[in-house]
Amino acid sequence: MAWQPHITVATIVEDNGRFLMVEEHKAGRNVLNQPAGHLDPDETLIEAAIRETLEETGWDVEPSAVIGIYLYTAPSNGVTYQRVCFSANPLKHHPDRRLDDGIVGAKWLTRDELLEQREHWRSDLIIRCIDDYLAGNRFGLELIRPSL
C-alpha cells in the first residue's frame, strides 16, 4: 500500500481579536476547527481556501498571506495531512447560505475562549496556526505557485 498524504487548506480569519471557527460533527461529537478542507482536482490552494471558508462558514474572504505549512498525522486514523494555512480578510457574510453537511455552524472565538474548549478541538493544529498568526508569521501569496 502506497503512503499518500492528504493536501488540505485552512484559513485564519481574525476580526478584533476573534477568530472565525467552524463547529462540525465528526466521529459522533462536535469539534472546533478553522475553516478547512481538502484540495479539489483542478483547484489552486488559494481557491480551495476561499471555497472551504465559504462552504463551512458562509463568509466570503480574501486571502492575504500564508501563515505556514504543517504536517500532521491524525492519531485517530494514522492519516498524514499537509495543511497550508492562510490568513484572510472577511469580506461579506451570507447568513442564509446552506453550510456543508456535518457543519453545525460558524462562531467567532478569542484565543482564550478556544483554550477553554480544548477538549473540543479537532486537532492541536488549531492553536498552532493561531499562535503562528499572532506571532506575525506572514509569507507572501507568491509563495504559492500555480501548476505548470
Side-chain angles (χ1 to χ4, degrees):
M1 182 164 94
W3 176 77
Q4 186 174 6
H6 293 244
I7 307 300
T8 63
V9 296
T11 309
I12 301 289
V13 183
E14 187 256 345
D15 184 36
N16 293 315
R18 295 190 174 272
F19 296 93
L20 181 60
M21 302 299 294
V22 174
E23 184 177 8
E24 59 186 329
H25 195 74
K26 243 356 187 187
R29 66 188 194 106
N30 287 357
V31 296
L32 293 169
N33 198 9
Q34 276 98 17
H38 288 82
L39 178 68
D40 282 349
D42 301 318
E43 181 177 55
T44 69
L45 291 165
I46 294 170
E47 290 168 344
I50 293 168
R51 175 185 54 76
E52 286 289 350
T53 304
L54 178 61
E55 290 176 351
E56 293 188 351
T57 69
W59 275 91
D60 288 325
V61 297
E62 179 181 35
S64 56
V66 175
I67 301 302
I69 300 171
Y70 307 84
L71 277 180
Y72 175 76
T73 301
S76 61
N77 61 13
V79 172
T80 298
Y81 299 89
Q82 179 180 347
R83 173 188 269 204
V84 180
C85 186
F86 294 89
S87 63
N89 299 313
L91 298 176
K92 182 179 180 184
H93 187 225
H94 304 275
D96 296 327
R97 181 181 170 86
R98 186 176 189 278
L99 303 178
D100 275 355
D101 288 341
I103 302 297
V104 176
K107 50 175 69 175
W108 292 90
L109 299 170
T110 66
R111 184 183 186 280
D112 288 343
E113 290 169 334
L114 277 169
L115 288 175
E116 293 170 2
Q117 300 182 51
R118 185 180 189 115
E119 70 277 3
H120 297 289
W121 294 355
R122 181 149 180 198
S123 79
D124 287 341
L125 280 176
I126 290 171
I127 206 69
R128 175 85 187 270
C129 291
I130 286 174
D131 285 347
D132 286 349
Y133 170 85
L134 291 172
N137 290 2
R138 306 285 192 285
F139 302 94
L141 292 176
E142 63 274 5
L143 180 70
I144 305 299
R145 307 291 291 176
S147 298
L148 297 177

